[in-house]
Amino acid sequence: AAAPAFGKIQDISNQELQTLLTQGVTLVDIRRPEEWKETGIVQGSQLLTLFDERGGINPEFATKIKQLAPEGKPVALICRTGNRTQIGAQMLSQVGYGQVYNVKRGITNWVAEGNPVVKP
């Protein structure tokens, strides 16, 4: 039997994210609601929590992401520091997303480099 086709996962910098956003990539912020409030979000982000505060995976994540990010198109994921998005990217690459971008070092670094955020 043929091995399942996994999508490509690529770590990207803030600059690469900015370029992708101008090209219309879907950016999904997978943090929790209190984290969105705390730091703000990248303008245009879709908000969908992947892990609850106990580290459990949101059972609706795989279904909901497909409503936010079309499967045939590239999708970028952002979290606080880039750890959770690595897991999220692997999940998406296994459920039909051909190109998944992981924003290295997350929103913390986005803010530290002086990039704009908006209130969720």
Side-chain angles (χ1 to χ4, degrees):
F6 289 134
K8 204 162 113 232
I9 298 172
Q10 188 182 338
D11 287 337
I12 58 168
S13 67
N14 291 332
Q15 288 74 19
E16 289 168 310
L17 174 60
Q18 284 168 325
T19 303
L20 288 167
L21 288 171
T22 63
Q23 295 166 0
V25 77
T26 303
L27 174 64
V28 183
D29 190 322
I30 64 168
R31 297 175 299 151
R32 296 186 302 277
E34 67 271 17
E35 294 179 282
W36 300 326
K37 287 195 189 83
E38 191 184 313
T39 58
I41 60 168
V42 178
Q43 186 151 13
S45 300
Q46 302 290 336
L47 305 180
L48 180 60
T49 301
L50 175 54
F51 294 105
D52 64 29
E53 57 282 353
R54 292 193 199 92
I57 288 181
N58 172 2
E60 297 179 328
F61 184 79
T63 318
K64 292 251 174 87
I65 191 99
K66 293 185 178 181
Q67 296 163 9
L68 301 176
E71 274 177 80
K73 300 250 171 77
V75 60
L77 299 180
I78 193 166
C79 64
R80 190 168 61 90
T81 57
N83 289 331
R84 281 172 274 182
T85 44
Q86 288 178 341
I87 298 161
Q90 285 169 347
M91 286 170 61
L92 294 189
S93 81
Q94 292 166 13
V95 295
Y97 288 88
Q99 177 66 66
V100 185
Y101 297 104
N102 171 35
V103 182
K104 284 184 302 203
R105 307 208 298 275
I107 194 96
T108 310
N109 188 52
W110 174 266
V111 171
E113 288 192 349
N115 294 298
V117 289
V118 294
K119 289 200 183 307

